[in-house]
Amino acid sequence: MRHFVDLSRFTKEGVKELLAAAEEMVPRARDGLDLARGKILATLFYEPSTRTRLSFEAAMLRLGGSCLGFADARASSVVKGESLADTTRTVDKYADIIALRHPAEGAALACSFYAGVPVINAGDGGHLHPSQTLLDLLTIKSELGRLEGLNVVLVGDLRYGRTASSLALALAPFKPRLVCVAPEGLELPPHVVRRLRLELGTAVEETTDLAEAARVADCLYVTRIQQERFFSTDDYLKVKGSYVVDRRVAALMPPGALILHPLPRRDEVAVEVDEDPRARYFAQMHYGVPARMALLALLLRLIPREVPSREVKGEELALPCPNPRCVTASEEYLKSLYTPLLDREESLFAELGERKRYRCLYCDYEVAV
Ligand code: CP
């Protein structure tokens, strides 16, 4: 485990190890410890954040280390046109570990190629948010006592809500039933659904009936419509307020269920639901510090623990990634790298008369070649 860019690249055992490390940090997040003295975390945030940046910094301070960085790239030499690669090769001289939030999909992986220190993906566009997912899994496990076989209902902007894709993929080894409720056009990206169904064997259902979905939920995971990812305000206004979890929806849910939200929220969870004991989104934030303490301590090799992951190798193809939000579109010096889809998928595609498919190593977009 050299970097932490995609939780779905860890084996089930690896995810369990990460969770065990995070659970051990829960009491230490309150009391602090002196494990990372002399170590420096750089938080490079090219997009706004409250929870992720502050909880990474709190985690490093609780471990006894220090922090530097920027909360707004407009106050850095990025405005002078500095590339992500050069910024990375500069900051790794000042810090022992980097947490990067960036609007481009695959930016953290690109950063990891240039960094001489570990890189943590603190959110890359609408793609992934693996440290949020680790704290989401920690919340679910702590609050429900298990991860296996849950009915998880994902509600809201599943297209650009990176936390939803991240959680769906990370839960897959735990054999969930995923029920997706999204406005038209904001469904889980097709490549995520395909990967869940074909590669990971996950039951994924799509519905527009939030009330029916709420009745079966062990966990209702709500996400905000990501206005900042829309190209026009009109498009945003068409879907704004499509699904709202209010007291009426909560009343349909099983008594022991959870209502989670990565926050920030707008109108998708009514304030009246905050008083419901099943609404655990503020408790969820509490798990952010121990989860991130565990990540920092593991990546800095401050605690001994083997965390098995899968190596994913890229193959260079003379084919630009067609996803305009991919980091290769904005950081043009990056080579186009792809992974061929698995044999099982290939044979399914062959049956469908499709050509060989590849997945962009950075943003997971699929292309047929
Ligand atoms: N959940 C989350 O990523 O929040 P921030 O955008 O405030 O970091």
Side-chain angles (χ1 to χ4, degrees), residues 130-183:
S131 68
Q132 174 71 43
T133 305
L134 184 62
L135 80 87
D136 292 341
L137 295 179
L138 181 61
T139 308
I140 296 169
K141 183 157 183 272
S142 304
E143 301 280 326
L144 291 182
R146 68 191 169 103
L147 286 175
E148 297 284 347
L150 296 173
N151 289 343
V152 177
V153 179
L154 303 170
V155 187
D157 182 351
L158 310 185
R159 168 68 188 85
Y160 301 120
R162 55 194 169 202
T163 57
S165 298
S166 260
L167 182 62
L169 291 165
L171 274 172
F174 299 93
K175 299 290 170 219
R177 173 184 168 203
L178 294 178
V179 182
C180 301
V181 187

Side-chain angles (χ1 to χ4, degrees), residues 12-331:
K12 184 176 180 181
E13 283 314 304
V15 174
K16 285 181 169 176
E17 286 295 326
L18 289 169
L19 282 169
E23 282 167 338
E24 279 176 16
M25 288 294 176
V26 170
R28 282 140 182 238
R30 193 181 48 241
D31 304 334
L33 68 170
D34 199 20
L35 201 60
R37 186 199 291 262
K39 300 288 183 191
I40 298 175
L41 163 70
T43 49
L44 308 185
F45 275 58
Y46 291 66
E47 279 194 331
S49 167
T50 298
R51 279 145 288 271
T52 309
R53 186 175 64 82
L54 295 181
S55 63
F56 263 118
E57 294 185 358
M60 193 52 161
L61 296 172
R62 291 285 193 210
L63 285 170
S66 313
C67 308
L68 52 75
F70 52 76
D72 182 350
R74 287 173 302 181
S76 78
S77 286
V78 173
V79 287
K80 301 172 199 164
E82 186 163 63
S83 68
L84 178 60
D86 287 357
T87 301
T88 302
R89 288 184 287 206
T90 302
V91 174
D92 74 0
K93 311 297 180 289
Y94 309 147
D96 301 288
I97 188 163
I98 294 171
L100 176 81
R101 171 167 290 190
H102 197 283
E105 300 183 6
L109 184 68
C111 177
S112 75
F113 291 161
Y114 293 91
V117 299
V119 172
I120 298 174
N121 183 0
D124 58 339
H127 182 217
L128 296 170
H129 195 349
S131 68
Q132 174 71 43
T133 305
L134 184 62
L135 80 87
D136 292 341
L137 295 179
L138 181 61
T139 308
I140 296 169
K141 183 157 183 272
S142 304
E143 301 280 326
L144 291 182
R146 68 191 169 103
L147 286 175
E148 297 284 347
L150 296 173
N151 289 343
V152 177
V153 179
L154 303 170
V155 187
D157 182 351
L158 310 185
R159 168 68 188 85
Y160 301 120
R162 55 194 169 202
T163 57
S165 298
S166 260
L167 182 62
L169 291 165
L171 274 172
F174 299 93
K175 299 290 170 219
R177 173 184 168 203
L178 294 178
V179 182
C180 301
V181 187
E184 196 180 339
L186 298 182
E187 298 88 356
L188 272 185
H191 62 85
V192 175
V193 175
R194 202 166 4 218
R195 190 168 162 200
L196 284 165
R197 285 188 177 145
L198 298 184
E199 195 180 312
L200 302 167
T202 309
V204 183
E205 295 162 38
E206 297 185 270
T207 176
T208 52
D209 191 341
L210 173 59
E212 217 32 60
R215 287 180 208 279
V216 301
D218 293 311
C219 173
L220 190 73
Y221 191 92
V222 191
T223 60
R224 174 179 63 90
I225 306 276
Q226 310 281 303
Q227 185 178 0
E228 64 275 26
R229 309 269 176 237
F230 283 66
F231 290 122
S232 88
T233 307
D234 281 352
D235 286 348
Y236 167 69
L237 292 175
K238 277 182 211 154
V239 287
K240 180 182 179 300
S242 304
Y243 291 105
V244 176
V245 176
D246 54 15
R247 205 178 276 151
R248 191 187 54 83
V249 173
L252 302 171
M253 293 176 61
L258 291 179
I259 304 170
L260 300 183
H261 191 309
L263 303 179
R265 73 169 152 186
R266 295 278 288 266
D267 52 3
E268 60 281 355
V269 178
V271 172
E272 65 192 18
V273 176
D274 295 358
E275 292 162 19
D276 190 309
R278 296 166 299 176
R280 301 298 290 157
Y281 26 89
F282 292 111
Q284 194 179 348
M285 294 308 101
H286 166 77
Y287 291 105
V289 175
R292 289 173 171 130
M293 285 172 75
L295 285 178
L296 293 167
L298 286 166
L299 287 161
L300 289 168
R301 311 218 177 281
L302 303 173
I303 49 176
R305 198 178 269 276
E306 279 302 311
V307 184
S309 61
R310 290 184 208 93
E311 196 182 359
V312 183
K313 284 201 173 129
E315 191 176 309
E316 200 177 329
L317 294 182
L319 175 74
C321 178
N323 175 9
R325 299 170 196 262
C326 179
V327 68
T328 53
S330 48
E331 304 284 329

